[in-house]
Amino acid sequence: MVRSPYLPNTEADRRRMLEEIGLSSVEELFADIPEEVAFKGRMTLPEPLSEMELLAHMKRLAARNASASDWAVFLGGGAYDHFVPSVVGHVLGRSEFYTAYTPYQPEVSQGVLQSIYEYQTMITRLTAMDVSNASMYDGASAMAEAALIACAATRRTKVVTPLTLSPEYRETIRTYLAGQRLQAVEVPYDPTSGQTDLAALEKAVNGDTAAVLLAHPNYFGCLEDPEEVGRLAHAAGAVFVVAVDPISLGLLKPPGEYGADIAVGEGQPLGNPMSFGGPYLGFMAATEKLVRRMPGRIAGATVDQDGDPGFVLTLQTREQHIRREKATSNICSNEALNALAAAVYMSLMGREGLVEVARLCLAKAHYAHERLTALPGFSAPFSAPFFKEFVVKGPDFAAAAKRLAARRILVGPDLGAGYPELRGSFLVAVTEKRTRAEIDSLADGLGGKA
Amino acid sequence: MSGTGYIYKREPLIFELSAPGRRAYSLPSSDVPACDPAEVLPRDQLRREPAALPEVSEVDVVRHFTRLSQRNHGVDIGFYPLGSCTMKYNPKVNEVVAGLDGFANVHPLTPEDLVQGALQLMYEMQTYLCEIGGVDAVTLQPAAGAHGEFTGVSIIKAYLASKGQGHRNKVIIPDSAHGTNPATAVIAGCETVEVKSDARGGVDIESLRAVADENVACLMLTNPNTLGLFDENIHVIADIVHRAGGLLYYDGANANAIMGYARPGDAGFDVVHFNLHKTFSTPHGGGGPGSGPVGVKKELADFLPVPVVGKDGDRYYLDYSLPKTIGRVKSFYGNFGVVVKAYAYIRSMGPEGLKRVAEDAVLAANYLMRKIARDYHLMYDRICKHEFVASGVWQRDRHGVKTLDIAKRLLDHGFHAPTVYFPLIVPEALMIEPTETESRETLDAFAEAMARIAREAEETPEKVTGAPQTTFVKRLDEARAARQPDLAYRGDLPKE
C-alpha cells in the first residue's frame, strides 16, 4: 500500500469520492485508455525512500561534488563564484513567492508582479536601456532570441556572431537560427589583442545583416570596442545586440550609452548560486522601439478600480497564449525566481555596493594576472584590457589542474576544446570572493610548487 | 512607512525607500594592491555615474520583500486549481536537498571526476524519465516546457532532413492545444495546421486524415488534452501520422494523469517532453524556473542536444559525441537545481507512489467535476483525467456574469482562480485542475464556493461582477496597462 505524506486522501476518502462519481474502483477512471496503449506493467524505478533515507542518499551524492565552500573556484566561462548575501536565500525561501506561478490573477499576485516591475526597473537602470522583460532562460538563449527579434524586425537573414562569443552561446544561437533557415556569420578575433577583428567584422556586415552580436567583456574576458561595433552595425541598418556581465556594469559604461539596441546577459552573478549550470536567468533589455517584439513576460504598472496603483502582466498580445503562431517567441515559463534573486541582490548591493564588488573583482583579477603571467613558462596571449576574467597560456594545463586539485583550487576551462589554436591556454576568473592567499596558492600551484 | 494599520494598502517600491548613503551590504576590504579603474580600463569605457539602484538598509530589504510575499497567493497558502499548470504541493525536503552545498555551489565546468555525484544524479534521472515516458534516451537540457517543445521539434526536423525528408514542414496541432505548440512550430521554422476537436473532445479523425500528407513533419499532441480528456483514438491517430511519414510529439504538460497507466512512448509518440515543475512537484517560482527534459525513441537519440550524461563502468561522464546533434539550446546541462528536486520526488514516491499520484489526481478531478456540474455547464460530460473544463455560459446568458467575474469572486473566497478562457474551444472556460495533493475537505470547500458564486450570480450579481473586494488591490485595469505602458519606475506610478 502506498503511504506518502504528500497524498492526503485516505482509503475512506477515496471510497466516498468514488461513490460521488458513481464508480466502484479507481481503475474505472482509466477505462478510456485504449487497451492497445495501456501500460500494464510496473515501472522499473527504485522503491520509495522515507525522508530520512532520502536525505542520507542525497547527502552522499552531494558529497561527491567539489563545492565552492571547500574549493577556491577560479573557473569562469559563463558561470561565476560571486558572493550571495544571506538575505537573498531568506527571501527566496518565502514560499508565497516560490510556490506561486505566473501571476495570471494579478489581484492575488501583487508580490510577484511588483517584484518583477522592480527587477525590470533595476535592469533598465543597470543597462541604461528603455525596457526590460521579466527574464529569459539564460544568457545564451536570451542572446539567441535577441537574434531572432533582429531578423524579424529587419526582415534580414544573417546574424554576425564573432568567435569572441562563448562557444556555448554560438552553439545555442545556431540551433535557434537553424529552424528558420537563418544564418550565423562568424568573424575571427585579433590573435594579439583577443578582441573581435574589426576589419573582418566590417567586411562581414552588409545589407543582409540582421544583427551584429557582441559580448563585452568577451569570452576571453577581453573588453571590446562596443562603440565602434555598434557604429558598424548601424551603418548597415543592423540591430546591435550586446551581452554584458552585469557585475562589470558597476564600472563599465552601460550598453544604452554606446548604442545597443538590445542588451542581454547571464544574470547568474546577480545573487544566484552556480548550481552546476542552472537554473540561471537571462536578462533582456531593449530600446522602446523594440518593446513590442520582446519575448516573454513583461510587468507594467496600472491602477485598480479605486484608482490605486497596482501591477499586471502587460503587452500580452506579443505572447504565445494570446497570439499562438503569431507570437514573438514560444517562451512561457521563464526564470522568475532567479530574477527575484537578482532583484534582491541588486537591492542589497545598491548604488554603491555594485561598484565596490566590481572594483574588488577588477583589483583581484589584475593581481592574479600579474602573478600568473610572471611565472616561468606562463604568459598572457592577449593584450586587451580585462575586467574579472583573462586568458593565461601555460605549458601543460592538465598537469597543472592536477597539482591545483591537491590544493583544492579549480581553474579554467582549457580553451583548446572550443579554440584548437589556443591549446594550452585557459581562462582564469577572479571574483570578489577570492583572497590574496588563494591567488598566491593558485600561482604557486601553477608554477609547480608541491 | 506610510501604513495606517497592520496591513498596508500599498507597499512602496524599493526605490521609494531609498535614502543616499544607506547600505545593505558588507564586503571585505581589498587584500591585494590597489587598482585604479582609470588606469587599467579605457577611460572612455568607464561608467560615469553608478546605476541608480536603491540605497536601503538590510532591514528595509527584508521587510520590503517579506511584505511583498504577503501580497501573493501560493500553493503553501491555499488551493491553486490553475488548469494545465499542475499546482501540486512542493515537498520541503526537495528544497533542502537542492540547497546542499554539493549541489548548489558547484561550478558547471568542474572536472568530471570532481562532480561524480551530480553526474550520477543526472544519469539516473535520464533513466527514470525513460522508464516513465516509455522512451529510449533523454536530455535534461531544456529549461522549461516550451523550451522542450522547441528542442523536440528541432530534433524531428533534423531527423527528417537526415532521411531526405527535409521538405516536411507542417506541424499539425489540435485546436485545443496550448499556445506554446503553434508558437514553437513557427520558431522552429515550420507552418502550423490546425485540426478540429470532435464531439467527444478528441482529435477529429477525418480532419486529421485530410491534412496528414507528405509535407507533415509531426503532430503535437497533449494527452490527456487541455480538456482533461484522454484521446481514446490515440493509436489510430499515431497510425495516421506515421503512415503519412510524420512523427508524433507528446506535450507532457498533462502527464500527471497517466503515470503508471500509460506511457507516451508505448502509444506511438516519438518525442516527449516532461514538465518537471508540473508532474514532478518542483515549485513554479512565480513563473519559473521550470525544467523541460525531452525523451526520444532510439532512432532519434543521436539528434539530442549535447552533452548527455553517459556511464562507463562506475564512472559518469558528459557525452558530447553525438555526431547528428541539433547542438545546444542553452548553456551547460539544463536547470540542474530543478532536476535535483524532481529526482528527490521520484525517489520519495517510487513506482507505486507515482501511479497513486495519477490515480488520486484523476479521482480528485472527477469528484470535483461532479460537484461543480450541479451549477455549471460541462461541454464534455465524460470521465476526465487530471483536470476538467467547466463553462460559465449559463451564468453569462442568464445573469450577465462572466467567467472573469467568477474567477475574481473566487479570490474573495480565498481560492486562486482556475485557468480561464482556455482552451479556446470552450466558451467562458473554467479549466480546473485540483491535483492529488488536495484533501477531500479542500475540494468540498472549493465546490461550495463555486456553488455560492452560482447563487450570487443569480441573486446578487453585483457581488460577483464587482469582485474582488477583499484583496490588496481591486480589479486592475489591464487595458490601461497595455495602452499606456509603464514598464519601469521613473519617479511616479500611474494615478487615477
Side-chain angles (χ1 to χ4, degrees):
Chain A
M1 199 181 81
V2 174
R3 293 179 60 184
S4 164
Y6 315 145
L7 300 174
N9 288 315
T10 63
E11 288 306 322
D13 289 321
R14 297 176 102 203
R15 273 196 305 278
R16 284 181 63 174
M17 291 162 78
L18 280 168
E19 253 168 55
E20 174 81 26
I21 303 166
L23 296 178
S24 53
S25 79
V26 168
E27 284 71 29
E28 292 168 59
L29 290 167
F30 294 86
D32 52 356
I33 299 179
E35 200 55 28
E36 292 89 332
V37 305
F39 179 69
K40 301 287 189 196
R42 185 172 190 275
M43 291 187 286
T44 307
L45 296 170
E47 293 307 311
L49 299 175
S50 67
E51 184 172 347
M52 274 189 263
E53 293 164 316
L54 179 72
L55 281 165
H57 172 71
M58 298 301 277
K59 281 179 184 164
R60 273 196 301 274
L61 287 177
R64 300 184 63 205
N65 307 316
S67 105
S69 302
D70 304 321
W71 290 66
V73 178
F74 290 92
L75 287 163
Y80 301 94
D81 183 26
H82 285 286
F83 181 68
V84 180
S86 308
V87 171
V88 177
H90 172 84
V91 170
L92 260 62
R94 295 289 307 193
S95 65
E96 299 92 329
F97 283 131
Y98 80 74
T99 72
Y101 197 26
T102 305
Y104 293 119
Q105 292 294 334
E107 295 84 359
V108 290
S109 310
Q110 285 298 295
V112 164
L113 283 161
Q114 183 171 332
S115 72
I116 296 174
Y117 181 82
E118 292 178 355
Y119 162 83
Q120 290 173 180
T121 304
M122 291 179 204
I123 292 294
T124 58
R125 292 180 178 192
L126 191 63
T127 57
M129 302 296 290
D130 300 328
V131 291
S132 160
N133 75 1
S135 76
M136 309 292 291
Y137 303 133
D138 69 353
S141 64
M143 196 164 216
E145 294 230 21
L148 293 185
I149 296 175
C151 293
T154 57
R155 298 174 179 272
R156 296 178 181 182
T157 55
K158 292 188 176 168
V159 176
V160 171
T161 55
L163 289 175
T164 48
L165 292 182
S166 148
E168 300 216 341
Y169 276 46
R170 281 183 281 126
E171 285 164 27
T172 304
I173 292 161
R174 267 202 300 277
T175 310
Y176 271 79
L177 295 179
Q180 299 180 41
R181 299 209 156 76
L182 304 167
Q183 202 189 329
V185 179
E186 297 203 325
V187 169
Y189 59 89
D190 179 326
T192 316
S193 71
Q195 295 164 315
T196 300
D197 180 337
L198 289 183
L201 182 88
E202 185 163 16
K203 263 190 228 142
V205 177
N206 57 38
D208 294 333
T209 308
V212 176
L213 312 186
L214 185 75
H216 173 63
N218 68 25
Y219 184 64
F220 304 133
C222 298
L223 299 195
E224 294 276 5
D225 184 350
E227 214 118 24
E228 180 59 13
V229 175
R231 200 186 60 73
L232 292 174
H234 290 149
V239 175
F240 177 35
V241 180
V242 64
V244 288
D245 170 356
I247 302 292
S248 76
L249 296 182
L251 287 173
L252 292 179
K253 193 189 264 189
E257 289 181 20
Y258 49 76
D261 301 293
I262 305 175
V264 297
E266 178 51 69
Q268 178 266 328
L270 301 171
N272 284 276
M274 294 182 289
S275 193
F276 201 48
Y280 297 166
L281 71 142
F283 59 85
M284 180 185 279
T287 57
E288 192 79 55
K289 211 174 79 185
L290 289 170
V291 63
R292 283 173 201 275
R293 293 191 183 274
M294 294 273 276
R297 312 294 187 201
I298 298 178
T302 185
V303 293
D304 74 358
Q305 241 167 29
D306 295 345
D308 290 321
F311 304 89
V312 294
L313 291 178
T314 193
L315 304 181
Q316 295 188 69
T317 51
R318 300 165 296 108
E319 290 191 71
Q320 46 76 27
H321 63 287
I322 308 287
R323 290 278 277 183
R324 300 176 77 81
E325 70 277 2
K326 293 192 180 64
T328 55
S329 165
N330 70 336
I331 192 168
C332 178
S333 282
N334 47 74
E335 308 286 310
L337 200 67
N338 303 90
L340 176 64
V344 176
Y345 179 83
M346 287 188 277
S347 302
L348 291 166
M349 301 321 291
R351 183 187 150 95
E352 303 301 331
L354 193 74
V355 178
E356 217 173 304
V357 171
R359 280 174 170 272
L360 282 170
C361 292
L362 185 81
K364 289 174 187 243
H366 281 77
Y367 175 69
H369 186 267
E370 200 182 298
R371 291 276 345 243
L372 302 191
T373 55
L375 294 168
F378 288 82
S379 60
F382 299 135
S383 61
F386 61 93
F387 168 58
K388 73 179 183 198
E389 192 169 16
F390 55 88
V391 178
V392 172
K393 191 174 179 190
D396 183 350
F397 180 74
K402 206 165 262 171
R403 282 197 304 277
L404 292 170
R407 293 170 175 264
R408 297 213 154 206
I409 291 177
L410 296 169
V411 69
D414 183 358
L415 290 174
Y419 304 87
E421 72 281 9
L422 293 178
R423 202 168 298 282
S425 293
F426 57 94
L427 285 173
V428 181
V430 190
T431 68
E432 75 282 7
K433 276 180 74 177
R434 299 288 68 83
T435 62
R436 181 176 190 145
E438 288 169 345
I439 296 168
D440 290 342
S441 181
L442 168 67
D444 290 347
L446 276 178
K449 275 199 198 164
Chain B
M1 181 59 54
S2 59
T4 51
Y6 181 68
I7 299 295
Y8 301 100
K9 178 66 183 164
R10 183 172 94 78
E11 171 61 20
L13 292 167
I14 188 88
F15 309 100
E16 298 175 79
L17 303 172
S18 186
R22 285 224 176 100
R23 54 150 62 187
Y25 66 93
S26 75
L27 288 164
S29 22
S30 178
D31 56 358
V32 296
C35 176
D36 180 1
E39 297 284 319
V40 299
L41 301 174
R43 277 175 195 232
D44 63 347
Q45 289 211 21
L46 292 180
R47 187 166 197 136
R48 288 186 303 251
E49 186 66 24
L53 297 175
E55 292 179 90
V56 289
S57 68
E58 181 169 319
V59 66
D60 291 334
V61 177
V62 169
R63 284 195 183 141
H64 173 69
F65 285 102
T66 302
R67 284 186 179 137
L68 285 186
S69 77
Q70 291 174 326
R71 302 161 70 85
N72 221 72
H73 188 84
V75 173
D76 281 5
I77 294 172
F79 192 44
Y80 207 135
L82 198 63
S84 252
C85 298
T86 314
M87 301 301 290
K88 62 170 76 176
Y89 170 68
N90 313 122
K92 300 311 156 197
V93 65
N94 299 353
E95 300 301 311
V96 171
V97 297
L100 289 173
D101 229 4
F103 294 133
N105 295 320
V106 178
H107 191 287
L109 300 177
T110 307
E112 285 169 9
D113 56 339
L114 295 173
V115 287
Q116 284 293 301
L119 294 177
Q120 180 184 340
L121 184 149
M122 291 174 70
Y123 180 85
E124 290 177 353
M125 188 64 175
Q126 290 172 184
T127 315
Y128 301 162
L129 292 175
C130 280
E131 175 66 12
I132 293 165
V135 287
D136 301 310
V138 160
T139 170
L140 303 175
Q141 198 173 96
H147 207 208
E149 292 176 32
F150 171 70
T151 306
V153 175
S154 298
I155 289 170
I156 288 171
K157 283 194 72 183
Y159 168 78
L160 290 171
S162 79
K163 297 277 169 200
Q165 300 285 303
H167 64 280
R168 289 183 177 268
N169 208 33
K170 260 168 56 172
V171 175
I172 304 174
I173 297 169
D175 57 7
S176 60
H178 295 115
T180 50
N181 292 172
T184 295
V186 170
I187 298 293
C190 297
E191 284 167 26
T192 59
V193 184
E194 193 172 273
V195 283
K196 289 201 304 268
S197 300
D198 66 15
R200 283 182 61 75
V203 172
D204 185 77
I205 296 295
E206 286 320 306
S207 306
L208 177 64
R209 281 214 173 89
V211 296
D213 59 22
E214 68 286 354
N215 292 319
V216 168
C218 68
L219 165 74
M220 296 181 86
L221 194 66
T222 310
N223 193 26
N225 63 21
T226 60
L227 296 164
L229 303 174
F230 194 91
D231 204 308
E232 301 147 314
N233 296 319
I234 181 57
H235 47 304
V236 181
I237 292 166
D239 194 49
I240 292 171
V241 175
H242 282 150
R243 273 170 197 269
L247 271 56
L248 246 73
Y249 182 91
Y250 181 81
D251 178 331
N254 295 345
N256 206 43
I258 57 165
M259 278 186 294
Y261 276 92
R263 306 192 306 172
D266 300 342
F269 287 95
D270 304 287
V271 181
V272 175
H273 88 248
F274 305 87
N275 296 75
L276 300 189
H277 49 293
K278 296 180 181 180
T279 316
F280 300 100
S281 87
T282 73
H284 286 66
S291 174
V294 168
V296 297
K297 290 288 183 62
K298 255 197 320 283
E299 315 80 74
L300 294 142
D302 286 347
F303 295 86
L304 289 175
V306 286
V308 289
V309 182
K311 187 181 182 190
D312 181 10
D314 286 341
R315 186 176 170 275
Y316 300 90
Y317 65 98
L318 293 165
D319 185 358
Y320 288 88
S321 70
L322 303 180
K324 295 175 181 165
T325 177
I326 60 161
R328 277 188 170 279
V329 293
K330 74 184 288 294
S331 292
F332 308 120
Y333 328 117
N335 281 348
F336 175 78
V338 179
V339 172
V340 171
K341 297 177 196 181
Y343 172 94
Y345 179 70
I346 293 172
R347 296 299 304 256
S348 298
M349 300 309 292
E352 297 295 329
L354 291 179
K355 190 174 177 184
R356 173 74 175 247
V357 163
E359 287 176 4
D360 282 7
V362 170
L363 182 60
N366 280 281
Y367 176 72
L368 196 53
M369 179 169 74
R370 292 280 43 104
K371 296 207 149 194
I372 296 221
R374 292 170 193 160
D375 300 293
Y376 296 85
H377 178 56
L378 284 183
M379 232 169 100
Y380 303 93
D381 193 355
R382 51 180 265 210
I383 292 288
C384 66
K385 291 272 88 58
H386 65 303
E387 68 188 0
F388 63 97
V389 181
S391 164
V393 283
W394 293 345
Q395 286 70 25
R396 181 193 65 191
D397 296 346
R398 294 171 195 168
H399 315 298
V401 168
K402 297 192 297 282
T403 280
L404 185 68
D405 303 320
I406 295 167
K408 298 302 180 196
R409 187 62 179 150
L410 272 169
L411 309 180
D412 281 335
H413 285 283
F415 294 105
H416 195 281
T419 299
V420 291
Y421 300 104
F422 187 82
L424 306 175
I425 55 175
V426 175
E428 301 293 320
L430 287 148
M431 185 195 213
I432 301 170
E433 179 179 13
T435 87
E436 74 282 2
T437 62
E438 299 301 333
S439 68
R440 189 171 54 79
E441 287 84 349
T442 300
L443 302 177
D444 287 345
F446 179 75
E448 176 50 36
M450 287 294 284
R452 256 179 74 183
I453 294 170
R455 282 199 303 278
E456 287 171 351
E458 203 175 324
E459 293 158 10
T460 49
E462 66 285 355
K463 263 193 184 162
V464 188
T465 54
Q469 292 295 325
T470 58
T471 44
F472 282 102
V473 290
K474 297 215 176 133
R475 207 178 290 196
L476 289 153
D477 189 345
E478 302 200 26
R480 170 175 170 151
R483 220 171 35 243
Q484 305 168 44
D486 175 346
L487 314 177
Y489 183 61
R490 294 198 168 82
D492 54 48
L493 285 171
K495 288 185 204 74
E496 198 169 2

